[in-house]
Amino acid sequence: MKRLLIIALATVLACAFAPETLTTDEIMSRVVEAPVRSAVIDRNFTETRTSAKGESVTLSGRLEYKPDSYLSMTYDNGELFLIDGMKMTIRRDGKENLFDLNKNLMMKNLSHALLYSFRGTLVSLSQEQKTLIDARFDDKGQCVVTLRATKPSARGYNCIVVYYDARTYAIKSMRMDEFSGASTYYTM
């Protein structure tokens, strides 16, 4: 009897101190509902662009996000990446390109990948871009959400990984891997 009581007590204690196991849907629900989703973000960031050949360049600048459809990345080298509603502006090497996201699917997909990551609505992004989605907690205090393409494509992303703080669900970083082999990694 005493042995049974010890085993029962050990089981209860193990369950009480075991890390919480949540499904992807449960984790994503927490991400979307977090109070931080309605916050304006204004902070420094770095971006590492890696070409398909493995050559990397790291840039830094100021990032501003306003829920739900405004994201500005002003780079220290004068580059600009701006999403404002259904318009996108990219300024690089002194040349500015303007895109109507209603008419340019590739830029719309990029816009949605970034904005949905800040919004925490990666389930919607997964459905829209027909990917698999997996969310888990790692041992570094992060919630890691991975979207993987289900089939290869000439353009776009084969994998997007977004890292959120496991306590606040604030976005910390993200990596976007293209089918071409190029990759972009953002940290905030």
Side-chain angles (χ1 to χ4, degrees), residues 68-81:
D68 280 324
S69 60
Y70 181 89
L71 176 65
S72 172
M73 291 185 278
T74 306
Y75 296 82
D76 295 338
N77 69 358
E79 290 184 17
L80 171 71
F81 179 88

Side-chain angles (χ1 to χ4, degrees), residues 6-158:
I6 292 173
I7 291 172
L9 183 60
T11 303
V12 168
L13 289 174
C15 289
F17 293 106
E20 189 174 9
T21 303
L22 301 173
T23 66
T24 292
D25 287 340
E26 291 169 330
I27 293 170
M28 292 314 304
S29 179
R30 288 183 178 195
V31 170
V32 168
E33 294 168 5
V36 72
R37 294 284 83 81
S38 60
V40 171
I41 299 170
D42 186 0
R43 62 171 45 145
N44 292 328
F45 77 101
T46 60
E47 175 182 330
T48 301
R49 299 174 186 161
T50 305
S51 73
K53 296 178 181 178
E55 301 161 344
S56 293
V57 61
T58 299
L59 304 169
S60 59
R62 194 79 182 165
L63 178 143
E64 183 180 12
Y65 167 76
K66 297 177 187 173
D68 280 324
S69 60
Y70 181 89
L71 176 65
S72 172
M73 291 185 278
T74 306
Y75 296 82
D76 295 338
N77 69 358
E79 290 184 17
L80 171 71
F81 179 88
L82 172 67
I83 302 166
D84 192 0
M86 293 307 291
K87 301 286 182 195
M88 180 186 287
T89 304
I90 298 175
R91 183 176 58 228
R92 193 179 281 176
D93 299 326
K95 184 178 178 185
E96 193 164 282
N97 293 299
L98 304 172
F99 301 96
D100 181 342
L101 300 178
N102 291 309
K103 298 178 181 178
N104 189 316
L105 182 61
M106 188 172 82
M107 292 301 163
K108 181 179 180 180
N109 287 344
L110 170 60
S111 167
H112 284 188
L114 293 167
L115 290 174
Y116 287 25
S117 295
F118 280 90
R119 290 179 194 161
T121 56
L122 292 174
V123 171
S124 296
L125 181 66
S126 178
Q127 293 166 348
E128 183 180 290
Q129 296 191 8
K130 297 175 179 64
T131 69
L132 301 174
I133 185 169
D134 177 64
R136 62 177 176 78
F137 295 100
D138 69 9
D139 57 358
K140 297 176 184 172
Q142 300 178 116
C143 171
V144 182
V145 183
T146 305
L147 287 81
R148 287 200 188 285
T150 56
K151 56 185 174 180
S153 177
R155 293 184 174 172
Y157 302 99
N158 66 344

